Amino acid sequence: MPATLLRSAELAQLNYTPDGDRFDASWEPLLSTLLGLGRAAGADLVEFFLERNHYLGVLVEDDRLTSVSPRVSLGAGIRVFRGTSDCYVSTNDLSFQGLRVALEKALGLMGLLLPSAHAYVPEIHLELLRDYGQGEKEGWRSGCSPMAEVAEVLLAGSDRLRQTTTHLQSRRLSYFRDWQEVMVAASDGTFARDIRLTQSAVASVLCADGDHRASIGDRSGDTGNPNFLRQWDYSTLAENVAEAAGNMLYANYVESGTYPVIMANQFGGVIFHEACGHLLETTQIERGTTPFAQQKGQRIAHENLTAWDEGISLGAFGSIAMDDEGMPAQRTLLIENGILKNFLSDRAGSMRTGHPRTGSGRRQSYAYAAASRMRNTYIAPGEASVADLIASVDRGIYCKRMGGGSVGATGQFNFAVDEAYWIENGTIKQPLKGATLIGEAKEILQRISMSANDLALAPGFCGSVSGSIYVTVGQPHIKVDAITVGGR
């Protein structure tokens, strides 16, 4: 522990030596001393985020291993709050003096000066380390598939795509794993550590026959399972991708118009994530870019719709034992029977908007300050069957597989549909291609009138002010009573 009557002038002579190979309780004296220095300089709150990262990316194209991308990084970010303002500085130097220099820069950016040489530095009493990285997590990195096994699995998956896909022009399989050890210490007493492991594999094909083209891909993902690649069912995934590509290859183009739409489960939830989920983050309230800022407790969606954001689903891409500000994971009810219940808030968002923290402070790495971000976000299941939803449509579109899209600052969106089918008289008919869903969040939410009982989740990525993070999107099959569909 730092000396109770430590003077500012004595800091230059200190030389803490915490464990350099892992983050553990040995870092407490160093961090509590620096946190005390920040408070002595006049900061209202100081936070340190330490990160050690090992990443591997591998790409197979057709029958060749074409890319291997390893990356190792180590660094820390320091955030200083004064009132409702804050600043952030990052560094790769995790020595005591290196972290002290970074802290001094952050304090200077906030107009704060270090205490005089004879001033006392207060002792910051951190809680006993909350270590979420103990036990089996300590062996996660060493338990992952070695490089030779990764290559073997990806090449076998590529060969399976070749066997199952007709009119095949090219095929790609990629894999990554991202291992991260983090520690958070803040002058409010927060002291926590975690280890995370995220893995994903993607298979995609391009098919062509004369003027006909089809491109389909599918992703699998997992957190917390070092055996993910060994258990990955690439054969079934290849068959599903091949079937979808075959259906879309000769599909007719959709005719533009306004239709009722049935959206499939799993990745169909990307529209709710993009067009609505972001609007429920306090970063959007701070910017004045959400139409829902003053509507807590009011109806913003159809009474059928309930939606959650949480960090606790086992193996889901957005699951976290704690957020990047050290708050334990939890569930947040966003919308209940159409009523807006809560926003997603990080530390800064709570300070500036008054909404309580929800364990949603997330960041890509130590290079970014945390911000309010989604975790596992999904529409809750209803009581109808998928057959009930399809049967309710006389003339409309079944969107089975969603593609990419874009979203405006206040919820205007357009999303491509990679695999779609015409519905007529309550029956799925011929395949369609070229469909784009166009709308605005506050309107579409009112038109989600039915939800099936088949909730399923899908892994994804989300980019925002604190970088690219791992998230889960999801929903059951849902019915949108009317939406604009762009086509030919």
Side-chain angles (χ1 to χ4, degrees):
M1 295 289 292
T4 303
L5 298 179
L6 183 68
R7 293 179 183 272
S8 179
E10 298 171 312
L11 294 177
Q13 283 74 50
L14 294 178
N15 185 26
Y16 295 107
T17 55
D19 191 328
D21 296 324
R22 68 195 306 267
F23 300 136
D24 58 18
S26 68
W27 285 80
E28 190 269 344
L30 180 156
L31 294 170
S32 61
T33 297
L34 291 172
L35 291 169
L37 179 61
R39 291 286 283 120
D44 292 326
L45 188 137
V46 182
E47 177 198 80
F48 282 79
F49 176 82
L50 280 60
E51 179 197 16
R52 179 178 286 105
N53 176 259
H54 290 254
Y55 177 92
L56 175 67
V58 183
L59 174 64
V60 164
E61 296 176 287
D62 296 326
D63 296 312
R64 296 177 59 241
L65 177 66
T66 57
S67 176
V68 177
S69 305
R71 183 179 70 239
V72 177
S73 63
L74 176 69
I78 300 95
R79 197 170 193 179
V80 171
F81 289 86
R82 189 182 188 190
T84 58
S85 299
D86 70 280
C87 72
Y88 191 76
V89 172
S90 62
T91 179
N92 296 114
D93 187 348
L94 267 61
S95 68
F96 175 74
Q97 295 304 330
L99 291 172
R100 179 190 172 191
V101 169
L103 173 63
E104 291 177 12
K105 289 182 179 178
L107 292 169
L109 290 171
M110 297 301 292
L112 298 174
L113 300 176
L114 292 176
S116 65
H118 298 290
Y120 292 115
V121 175
E123 181 178 347
I124 300 298
H125 295 282
L126 298 177
E127 64 178 314
L128 292 175
L129 179 65
R130 283 184 287 117
D131 194 347
Y132 300 100
Q134 298 182 84
E136 65 177 11
K137 288 186 177 183
E138 299 284 4
W140 275 357
R141 184 157 64 94
S142 61
C144 289
S145 299
M147 182 60 223
E149 185 177 5
V150 173
E152 180 183 354
V153 171
L154 292 183
L155 288 168
S158 183
D159 188 59
R160 186 61 182 156
L161 283 175
R162 180 188 59 79
Q163 296 172 20
T164 57
T165 310
T166 60
H167 302 289
L168 185 62
Q169 294 295 299
S170 64
R171 58 195 190 277
R172 291 165 56 99
L173 283 93
S174 62
Y175 162 81
F176 79 80
R177 67 166 170 259
D178 192 355
W179 179 93
Q180 183 190 46
E181 181 189 14
V182 300
M183 174 172 277
V184 179
S187 58
D188 64 355
T190 299
F191 192 37
R193 169 186 180 259
D194 195 17
I195 289 176
R196 300 153 179 178
L197 174 65
T198 307
Q199 298 180 86
S200 178
V202 181
S204 61
V205 296
L206 172 63
C207 299
D209 184 18
D211 294 333
H212 300 284
R213 296 283 189 277
S215 178
I216 296 290
D218 206 350
R219 177 183 297 279
S220 301
D222 179 90
T223 62
N225 179 13
N227 292 310
F228 163 75
L229 199 62
R230 300 181 181 106
Q231 299 167 356
W232 179 44
D233 186 1
Y234 61 78
S235 184
T236 298
L237 184 144
E239 292 168 6
N240 292 338
V241 168
E243 180 183 7
N247 290 338
M248 290 299 103
L249 185 59
Y250 302 107
N252 293 322
Y253 283 93
V254 66
E255 183 177 342
S256 299
T258 299
Y259 302 96
V261 164
I262 305 299
M263 296 184 61
N265 58 0
Q266 294 187 314
F267 201 68
V270 69
I271 287 188
F272 181 83
H273 169 102
E274 292 288 3
C276 179
H278 280 296
L279 300 180
L280 301 183
E281 297 167 343
T282 51
T283 49
Q284 302 294 323
I285 298 178
E286 294 178 52
R287 294 175 172 182
T289 53
T290 172
F292 305 127
Q294 305 301 322
Q295 292 189 270
K296 186 173 180 179
Q298 300 179 27
R299 184 175 301 281
I300 66 168
H302 193 283
E303 62 182 9
N304 167 76
L305 191 146
T306 293
W308 292 87
D309 180 275
E310 46 89 353
I312 59 177
S313 290
L314 183 64
F317 235 38
S319 290
I320 48 177
M322 69 176 198
D323 73 358
D324 291 326
E325 296 176 323
M327 186 172 180
Q330 46 113 300
R331 300 181 76 201
T332 303
L333 178 61
L334 299 176
I335 301 170
E336 183 178 32
N337 299 325
I339 305 298
L340 176 59
K341 291 294 186 176
N342 291 289
F343 290 89
L344 299 175
S345 183
D346 61 323
R347 186 192 297 276
S350 182
M351 287 180 176
R352 293 167 185 155
T353 69
H355 292 287
R357 292 171 65 188
T358 55
S360 306
R362 303 188 64 196
R363 64 186 102 199
Q364 177 179 331
S365 71
Y366 71 89
Y368 296 84
S372 57
R373 305 290 298 275
M374 285 174 277
R375 297 160 295 184
N376 306 312
T377 311
Y378 48 84
I379 295 173
E383 298 181 355
S385 68
V386 176
D388 292 335
L389 270 65
I390 300 295
S392 72
V393 177
D394 291 329
R395 290 171 54 84
I397 296 174
Y398 174 43
C399 300
K400 185 176 182 180
R401 190 184 302 263
M402 297 301 300
S406 62
V407 182
T410 57
Q412 307 89 348
F413 65 83
N414 64 82
F415 277 90
V417 183
D418 285 349
E419 184 181 2
Y421 298 86
W422 179 245
I423 302 174
E424 188 164 352
N425 297 324
T427 302
I428 295 177
K429 299 290 187 178
Q430 69 273 15
L432 298 171
K433 63 184 175 184
T436 301
L437 304 184
I438 303 168
E440 189 170 355
K442 61 184 179 182
E443 295 179 356
I444 295 303
L445 289 177
Q446 302 286 351
R447 300 174 185 171
I448 301 175
S449 62
M450 296 180 71
S451 298
N453 53 11
D454 63 338
L455 171 66
L457 308 179
F461 305 86
C462 177
S464 188
V465 293
S466 59
S468 179
I469 60 172
Y470 305 118
V471 298
T472 294
V473 300
Q475 63 182 29
H477 277 73
I478 63 170
K479 179 184 179 182
V480 182
D481 289 335
I483 191 171
T484 301
V485 178
R488 284 194 172 180

